[in-house]
Amino acid sequence: MLHPWYRGRLERRMVGSTNRWRFPREPFSGDLLGLSQMCKALNVDFEEVLKDPDRLYVSQIQKIFSRNLKNKTIQSREADVILKCLGSTWELHQPHLFQSETLAKLYLMALSQGTTSPTKELERLRQAQLCGSVQERPPIKKMIISLKINDPLVTKVAFATALKSLSLSEVEMNMDDVLGVLASAHILQFSSLFQRCVAMMMNGLTPTTIKSFYLAGCKYKEEQLTTACEKWLEMNLVPLVGRQIHLRKIPQELLHRVLRSPRLFTFTEFHLLKTLLLWVFLQLNHRIQTVPVHETVLAFFNSFPKKYSFLDQDTGQSLMPLFLCVRLHGIIKGKNLEELRHINFFPESWLIRVTANHYHALESGGDMVHVKDLTTQAMRFGLLFNQEYTTHSEMIAVYGFFFEIKGIKQDTTSYSFYMQRVRHTDLEFPSSVCKHGPVSLRVERLVKYEIRAQTLVDGKWQEFRTNQITQKFGFVKPSCKSHALKIQTVGIPIYVSFSFIFPISR
């Protein structure tokens, strides 16, 4: 006969798919490998368990209770846990609260205070659930637990929704409440509800929600959500948000990250610059509640002292990183460049450098000696291909060379996008493209380019792109036409970006 102490020591439990063993009545038993395997089996963080051994037992009970949560008899029983929070009282059923790590810990703490042997009480709960009969479980007195919440995002309505989700798998949520439910799920450590909120927010990004959803992602360290916000704004900053008063709400840090992205969509570089100037204007004019016309923005910046440029003054110093992301050499129309000089926004040295580069490029037959990297320095032009289009194109002029960027819808899900060189005499509206501009008579023009198309499908961004291609463009086929980017997608609209530089001709 063994001594009872030795008998207890020899009770062992197999863990995982290997023959590792551990002693259940001691947290670790010196067997870290066995503990690690048990954590994997229960989907629990190993390092967290080392810091808090109770977490492992909570996870065991969570796993057991989850098997019986759909048992309808639970709903008919009288509530056995009282939660006091946010000045209100909620009645809960014990098996449900174990979906929340926070409530589970509070319950276990209350249980340990109300019994001389909390371990035996937990084992009794575990065995009662394992037997699969809720009705046969002995009655348990009502336990009162309290939770203090300091997160301003948590409202009573949102918290009630989160608690309701403990017992119902699909509680209805609207977009107005999802932020508060997310915050409640974070405090409750209710992971399945938290991820459901994240998915809902990722699919509900709009100019009105982008700021609050992005800040929530940062606050709760949810990288999936912050990345979704960044990708959404990369596509919609210029064509959508830049035309609404909600542009004011975009945090500078988020704006900077988007401007640095090679995926950023814009119609032209000047469109992007106008959006940034409007953002700065709205930051400095809080009372403005409607989007002003561009001339109003220009007049505002022109009102500053002329001794220094706006970016050199105290007000503009902190904004310098944003405007360093703008490719000023991509602004090539004389009218637009004159506009920038007139408002005295950029340091004079920047504008002199841009003008000098344009002059040297024209003098060299279009060669962009100052531009080397296609990814970070290319001229950018964009097409927004909407549902009603079967074809859509724009004409662009660069240093006397004329190109048509074009998209064609082949069928319901097939599209092709390309660019082609055209003669200035063939332009349908020559005055709008080349009025007061140079015209190059060179037969060939070496171009390095890339075409990229992006669209949103079922909450995920699809991206299609060509390689970086170097090609000589002539006036006749096939040399006048670029490689076509052919895609298959059900997404709409499609954001198509054409990036190119003119390398030094050989």
Side-chain angles (χ1 to χ4, degrees), residues 264-441:
L264 174 64
F265 174 84
T266 183
F267 299 110
T268 67
E269 205 68 32
F270 191 66
H271 278 87
L272 177 61
L273 178 59
K274 286 172 64 176
T275 301
L276 287 183
L277 290 175
L278 177 58
W279 181 85
V280 176
F281 174 85
L282 293 174
Q283 302 306 305
L284 301 177
N285 295 273
H286 300 286
R287 295 183 179 180
I288 299 293
Q289 296 302 316
T290 57
V291 177
V293 295
H294 183 56
E295 288 72 21
T296 301
V297 177
L298 296 180
F300 170 76
F301 290 116
N302 194 38
S303 66
F304 282 82
K306 301 296 183 183
K307 187 175 182 180
Y308 301 102
S309 70
F310 179 84
L311 289 180
D312 283 329
Q313 298 176 33
D314 294 339
T315 311
Q317 282 287 334
S318 62
L319 304 175
M320 190 76 78
L322 297 179
F323 288 91
L324 285 171
C325 297
V326 179
R327 304 173 187 180
L328 290 180
H329 60 272
I331 300 175
I332 50 181
K333 288 186 177 180
K335 176 186 174 182
N336 296 338
L337 291 171
E338 189 60 36
E339 195 173 273
L340 295 186
R341 293 190 189 92
H342 181 67
I343 64 173
N344 193 35
F345 188 89
F346 292 98
E348 187 177 2
S349 60
W350 292 23
L351 298 179
I352 290 175
R353 184 170 63 250
V354 169
T355 303
N357 288 335
H358 287 334
Y359 176 80
H360 290 306
L362 285 169
E363 196 176 47
S364 305
D367 292 354
M368 300 178 183
V369 181
H370 56 285
V371 175
K372 304 295 182 183
D373 183 53
L374 183 68
T375 303
T376 59
Q377 296 178 301
M379 291 190 171
R380 300 180 283 195
F381 299 89
L383 289 178
L384 186 58
F385 205 92
N386 291 314
Q387 187 170 7
E388 64 270 19
Y389 293 149
T390 53
T391 62
H392 182 44
S393 65
E394 294 288 344
M395 300 299 302
I396 56 177
V398 180
Y399 299 143
F401 296 91
F402 302 92
F403 293 88
E404 180 184 26
I405 55 177
K406 191 169 186 177
I408 299 176
K409 185 176 183 179
Q410 310 286 3
D411 56 45
T412 53
T413 60
S414 300
Y415 303 85
S416 64
F417 304 96
Y418 61 90
M419 57 188 285
Q420 62 182 3
R421 188 181 174 190
V422 296
R423 298 177 187 270
H424 71 284
T425 54
D426 296 336
L427 295 177
E428 187 175 353
F429 304 104
S431 60
S432 62
V433 178
C434 61
K435 185 179 181 180
H436 305 307
V439 174
S440 177
L441 300 179

Side-chain angles (χ1 to χ4, degrees), residues 25-244:
R25 297 191 181 181
E26 295 183 11
F28 307 111
S29 305
D31 188 356
L32 292 176
L33 180 56
L35 179 63
S36 173
Q37 290 176 341
M38 189 171 191
C39 290
K40 287 180 181 179
L42 293 170
N43 196 26
V44 180
D45 187 84
F46 178 63
E47 293 185 2
E48 291 296 324
V49 170
L50 290 178
K51 298 175 186 176
D52 182 12
D54 290 338
R55 184 183 180 90
L56 189 60
Y57 208 82
V58 170
S59 298
Q60 285 180 286
I61 295 178
Q62 281 180 308
K63 191 172 184 179
I64 294 166
F65 279 157
S66 65
R67 300 169 188 165
N68 295 324
L69 286 178
K70 295 182 180 179
N71 195 319
K72 294 181 180 179
T73 58
I74 293 177
Q75 304 297 333
S76 61
R77 284 208 332 260
E78 184 181 354
D80 44 19
V81 178
I82 306 297
L83 171 64
K84 293 184 176 181
C85 184
L86 297 176
S88 298
T89 300
W90 281 276
E91 294 185 342
L92 306 173
H93 291 95
Q94 180 205 78
H96 293 145
L97 64 84
F98 275 90
Q99 291 185 89
S100 160
E101 288 191 25
T102 300
L103 296 182
K105 289 178 181 178
L106 289 174
Y107 180 81
L108 295 179
M109 287 175 60
L111 190 66
S112 66
Q113 294 172 359
T115 179
T116 56
S117 181
T119 304
K120 288 184 178 180
E121 184 68 17
L122 285 174
E123 188 65 22
R124 186 170 70 84
L125 291 175
R126 190 175 71 86
Q127 292 297 334
Q129 290 296 325
L130 283 173
C131 74
S133 175
V134 181
Q135 290 178 326
E136 295 175 5
R137 196 187 69 171
I140 298 176
K141 66 177 182 179
K142 287 190 176 182
M143 195 77 70
I144 299 176
I145 57 177
S146 298
L147 177 62
K148 187 177 181 180
I149 297 178
N150 294 320
D151 193 331
L153 293 178
V154 178
T155 64
K156 281 189 178 182
V157 173
F159 191 70
T161 302
L163 292 179
K164 190 176 180 180
S165 299
L166 292 171
S167 56
L168 300 176
S169 57
E170 290 296 330
V171 174
E172 185 177 345
M173 279 190 289
N174 58 53
M175 202 58 68
D176 293 334
D177 295 329
V178 68
L179 194 58
V181 177
L182 177 88
S184 302
H186 176 77
I187 287 172
L188 292 172
Q189 292 183 277
F190 189 178
S191 60
S192 61
L193 178 61
F194 186 87
Q195 290 304 319
R196 184 187 166 202
C197 291
V198 168
M200 187 173 175
M201 293 163 77
M202 289 169 60
N203 289 322
L205 290 170
T206 65
T208 58
T209 62
I210 181 68
K211 176 188 176 181
S212 57
F213 287 3
Y214 175 76
L215 293 179
C218 294
K219 180 177 181 178
Y220 302 121
K221 296 180 174 60
E222 184 56 38
E223 186 176 349
Q224 187 182 8
L225 179 56
T226 56
T227 300
C229 292
E230 289 174 20
K231 287 186 175 180
W232 183 88
L233 194 59
E234 286 167 4
M235 296 299 101
N236 292 288
L237 174 63
V238 174
L240 180 61
V241 183
R243 299 179 179 182
Q244 300 186 23

